[in-house]
mmCIF file with all atom_site columns, all heavy atoms in Angstrom:
data_model
loop_
_atom_site.group_PDB
_atom_site.id
_atom_site.type_symbol
_atom_site.label_atom_id
_atom_site.label_alt_id
_atom_site.label_comp_id
_atom_site.label_asym_id
_atom_site.label_entity_id
_atom_site.label_seq_id
_atom_site.pdbx_PDB_ins_code
_atom_site.Cartn_x
_atom_site.Cartn_y
_atom_site.Cartn_z
_atom_site.occupancy
_atom_site.B_iso_or_equiv
_atom_site.pdbx_formal_charge
_atom_site.auth_seq_id
_atom_site.auth_comp_id
_atom_site.auth_asym_id
_atom_site.auth_atom_id
_atom_site.pdbx_PDB_model_num
ATOM 1  N N   . LEU A 1 134 ? 26.178 64.105 95.998  1.00 0.00 ? 134 LEU A N   1
ATOM 2  C CA  . LEU A 1 134 ? 26.922 64.829 96.991  1.00 0.00 ? 134 LEU A CA  1
ATOM 3  C C   . LEU A 1 134 ? 26.003 65.422 98.103  1.00 0.00 ? 134 LEU A C   1
ATOM 4  O O   . LEU A 1 134 ? 26.329 65.547 99.246  1.00 0.00 ? 134 LEU A O   1
ATOM 5  C CB  . LEU A 1 134 ? 27.895 65.844 96.304  1.00 0.00 ? 134 LEU A CB  1
ATOM 6  C CG  . LEU A 1 134 ? 28.735 66.749 97.277  1.00 0.00 ? 134 LEU A CG  1
ATOM 7  C CD1 . LEU A 1 134 ? 29.681 65.862 98.089  1.00 0.00 ? 134 LEU A CD1 1
ATOM 8  C CD2 . LEU A 1 134 ? 29.474 67.842 96.463  1.00 0.00 ? 134 LEU A CD2 1
ATOM 9  N N   . ALA A 1 135 ? 24.931 66.039 97.609  1.00 0.00 ? 135 ALA A N   1
ATOM 10 C CA  . ALA A 1 135 ? 23.909 66.549 98.502  1.00 0.00 ? 135 ALA A CA  1
ATOM 11 C C   . ALA A 1 135 ? 23.387 65.530 99.486  1.00 0.00 ? 135 ALA A C   1
ATOM 12 O O   . ALA A 1 135 ? 23.246 65.793 100.670 1.00 0.00 ? 135 ALA A O   1
ATOM 13 C CB  . ALA A 1 135 ? 22.780 67.250 97.657  1.00 0.00 ? 135 ALA A CB  1
ATOM 14 N N   . ALA A 1 136 ? 23.143 64.340 98.891  1.00 0.00 ? 136 ALA A N   1
ATOM 15 C CA  . ALA A 1 136 ? 22.699 63.234 99.752  1.00 0.00 ? 136 ALA A CA  1
ATOM 16 C C   . ALA A 1 136 ? 23.755 62.920 100.771 1.00 0.00 ? 136 ALA A C   1
ATOM 17 O O   . ALA A 1 136 ? 23.434 62.589 101.940 1.00 0.00 ? 136 ALA A O   1
ATOM 18 C CB  . ALA A 1 136 ? 22.298 62.040 98.854  1.00 0.00 ? 136 ALA A CB  1
ATOM 19 N N   . LEU A 1 137 ? 24.942 62.815 100.426 1.00 0.00 ? 137 LEU A N   1
ATOM 20 C CA  . LEU A 1 137 ? 26.040 62.510 101.282 1.00 0.00 ? 137 LEU A CA  1
ATOM 21 C C   . LEU A 1 137 ? 26.080 63.552 102.407 1.00 0.00 ? 137 LEU A C   1
ATOM 22 O O   . LEU A 1 137 ? 26.302 63.237 103.597 1.00 0.00 ? 137 LEU A O   1
ATOM 23 C CB  . LEU A 1 137 ? 27.361 62.505 100.489 1.00 0.00 ? 137 LEU A CB  1
ATOM 24 C CG  . LEU A 1 137 ? 28.619 62.264 101.422 1.00 0.00 ? 137 LEU A CG  1
ATOM 25 C CD1 . LEU A 1 137 ? 28.626 60.892 102.020 1.00 0.00 ? 137 LEU A CD1 1
ATOM 26 C CD2 . LEU A 1 137 ? 29.919 62.482 100.589 1.00 0.00 ? 137 LEU A CD2 1
ATOM 27 N N   . ARG A 1 138 ? 25.961 64.698 101.989 1.00 0.00 ? 138 ARG A N   1
ATOM 28 C CA  . ARG A 1 138 ? 25.991 65.907 103.056 1.00 0.00 ? 138 ARG A CA  1
ATOM 29 C C   . ARG A 1 138 ? 24.969 65.767 104.024 1.00 0.00 ? 138 ARG A C   1
ATOM 30 O O   . ARG A 1 138 ? 25.135 65.859 105.204 1.00 0.00 ? 138 ARG A O   1
ATOM 31 C CB  . ARG A 1 138 ? 25.873 67.200 102.245 1.00 0.00 ? 138 ARG A CB  1
ATOM 32 C CG  . ARG A 1 138 ? 25.846 68.428 103.133 1.00 0.00 ? 138 ARG A CG  1
ATOM 33 C CD  . ARG A 1 138 ? 25.905 69.634 102.176 1.00 0.00 ? 138 ARG A CD  1
ATOM 34 N NE  . ARG A 1 138 ? 25.889 70.813 102.916 1.00 0.00 ? 138 ARG A NE  1
ATOM 35 C CZ  . ARG A 1 138 ? 24.721 71.432 103.325 1.00 0.00 ? 138 ARG A CZ  1
ATOM 36 N NH1 . ARG A 1 138 ? 23.511 70.866 102.892 1.00 0.00 ? 138 ARG A NH1 1
ATOM 37 N NH2 . ARG A 1 138 ? 24.764 72.513 103.940 1.00 0.00 ? 138 ARG A NH2 1
ATOM 38 N N   . ASP A 1 139 ? 23.700 65.396 103.540 1.00 0.00 ? 139 ASP A N   1
ATOM 39 C CA  . ASP A 1 139 ? 22.558 65.145 104.464 1.00 0.00 ? 139 ASP A CA  1
ATOM 40 C C   . ASP A 1 139 ? 22.925 64.030 105.480 1.00 0.00 ? 139 ASP A C   1
ATOM 41 O O   . ASP A 1 139 ? 22.625 64.092 106.686 1.00 0.00 ? 139 ASP A O   1
ATOM 42 C CB  . ASP A 1 139 ? 21.322 64.933 103.738 1.00 0.00 ? 139 ASP A CB  1
ATOM 43 C CG  . ASP A 1 139 ? 20.826 66.098 103.035 1.00 0.00 ? 139 ASP A CG  1
ATOM 44 O OD1 . ASP A 1 139 ? 21.285 67.241 103.335 1.00 0.00 ? 139 ASP A OD1 1
ATOM 45 O OD2 . ASP A 1 139 ? 19.913 66.039 102.148 1.00 0.00 ? 139 ASP A OD2 1
ATOM 46 N N   . VAL A 1 140 ? 23.448 62.876 104.916 1.00 0.00 ? 140 VAL A N   1
ATOM 47 C CA  . VAL A 1 140 ? 23.705 61.700 105.752 1.00 0.00 ? 140 VAL A CA  1
ATOM 48 C C   . VAL A 1 140 ? 24.787 62.144 106.756 1.00 0.00 ? 140 VAL A C   1
ATOM 49 O O   . VAL A 1 140 ? 24.657 61.890 107.960 1.00 0.00 ? 140 VAL A O   1
ATOM 50 C CB  . VAL A 1 140 ? 24.343 60.592 104.815 1.00 0.00 ? 140 VAL A CB  1
ATOM 51 C CG1 . VAL A 1 140 ? 24.991 59.560 105.629 1.00 0.00 ? 140 VAL A CG1 1
ATOM 52 C CG2 . VAL A 1 140 ? 23.123 60.033 103.929 1.00 0.00 ? 140 VAL A CG2 1
ATOM 53 N N   . VAL A 1 141 ? 25.856 62.775 106.317 1.00 0.00 ? 141 VAL A N   1
ATOM 54 C CA  . VAL A 1 141 ? 26.948 63.112 107.265 1.00 0.00 ? 141 VAL A CA  1
ATOM 55 C C   . VAL A 1 141 ? 26.383 64.006 108.382 1.00 0.00 ? 141 VAL A C   1
ATOM 56 O O   . VAL A 1 141 ? 26.878 63.880 109.595 1.00 0.00 ? 141 VAL A O   1
ATOM 57 C CB  . VAL A 1 141 ? 28.091 63.802 106.495 1.00 0.00 ? 141 VAL A CB  1
ATOM 58 C CG1 . VAL A 1 141 ? 29.119 64.433 107.428 1.00 0.00 ? 141 VAL A CG1 1
ATOM 59 C CG2 . VAL A 1 141 ? 28.772 62.907 105.576 1.00 0.00 ? 141 VAL A CG2 1
ATOM 60 N N   . GLY A 1 142 ? 25.485 64.789 108.024 1.00 0.00 ? 142 GLY A N   1
ATOM 61 C CA  . GLY A 1 142 ? 24.846 65.652 109.078 1.00 0.00 ? 142 GLY A CA  1
ATOM 62 C C   . GLY A 1 142 ? 24.121 64.922 110.197 1.00 0.00 ? 142 GLY A C   1
ATOM 63 O O   . GLY A 1 142 ? 23.868 65.540 111.203 1.00 0.00 ? 142 GLY A O   1
ATOM 64 N N   . THR A 1 143 ? 23.782 63.657 109.941 1.00 0.00 ? 143 THR A N   1
ATOM 65 C CA  . THR A 1 143 ? 23.024 62.853 110.969 1.00 0.00 ? 143 THR A CA  1
ATOM 66 C C   . THR A 1 143 ? 23.926 61.840 111.641 1.00 0.00 ? 143 THR A C   1
ATOM 67 O O   . THR A 1 143 ? 23.443 61.153 112.506 1.00 0.00 ? 143 THR A O   1
ATOM 68 C CB  . THR A 1 143 ? 21.898 62.085 110.313 1.00 0.00 ? 143 THR A CB  1
ATOM 69 O OG1 . THR A 1 143 ? 22.375 61.099 109.395 1.00 0.00 ? 143 THR A OG1 1
ATOM 70 C CG2 . THR A 1 143 ? 20.979 63.015 109.498 1.00 0.00 ? 143 THR A CG2 1
ATOM 71 N N   . LEU A 1 144 ? 25.162 61.795 111.277 1.00 0.00 ? 144 LEU A N   1
ATOM 72 C CA  . LEU A 1 144 ? 26.069 60.623 111.832 1.00 0.00 ? 144 LEU A CA  1
ATOM 73 C C   . LEU A 1 144 ? 26.907 61.058 113.063 1.00 0.00 ? 144 LEU A C   1
ATOM 74 O O   . LEU A 1 144 ? 27.786 60.257 113.441 1.00 0.00 ? 144 LEU A O   1
ATOM 75 C CB  . LEU A 1 144 ? 26.934 60.119 110.697 1.00 0.00 ? 144 LEU A CB  1
ATOM 76 C CG  . LEU A 1 144 ? 26.180 59.368 109.509 1.00 0.00 ? 144 LEU A CG  1
ATOM 77 C CD1 . LEU A 1 144 ? 27.241 58.770 108.554 1.00 0.00 ? 144 LEU A CD1 1
ATOM 78 C CD2 . LEU A 1 144 ? 25.218 58.267 110.044 1.00 0.00 ? 144 LEU A CD2 1
ATOM 79 N N   . GLY A 1 145 ? 26.587 62.182 113.563 1.00 0.00 ? 145 GLY A N   1
ATOM 80 C CA  . GLY A 1 145 ? 27.414 62.572 114.817 1.00 0.00 ? 145 GLY A CA  1
ATOM 81 C C   . GLY A 1 145 ? 28.740 63.089 114.428 1.00 0.00 ? 145 GLY A C   1
ATOM 82 O O   . GLY A 1 145 ? 29.058 63.395 113.232 1.00 0.00 ? 145 GLY A O   1
ATOM 83 N N   . PRO A 1 146 ? 29.647 63.243 115.362 1.00 0.00 ? 146 PRO A N   1
ATOM 84 C CA  . PRO A 1 146 ? 30.936 63.890 115.154 1.00 0.00 ? 146 PRO A CA  1
ATOM 85 C C   . PRO A 1 146 ? 31.704 63.232 113.978 1.00 0.00 ? 146 PRO A C   1
ATOM 86 O O   . PRO A 1 146 ? 31.700 61.964 113.808 1.00 0.00 ? 146 PRO A O   1
ATOM 87 C CB  . PRO A 1 146 ? 31.679 63.697 116.423 1.00 0.00 ? 146 PRO A CB  1
ATOM 88 C CG  . PRO A 1 146 ? 30.601 63.570 117.488 1.00 0.00 ? 146 PRO A CG  1
ATOM 89 C CD  . PRO A 1 146 ? 29.413 62.919 116.828 1.00 0.00 ? 146 PRO A CD  1
#
Side-chain angles (χ1 to χ4, degrees):
L134 178 61
L137 174 67
R138 178 173 178 271
D139 288 347
V140 164
V141 170
T143 67
L144 295 184

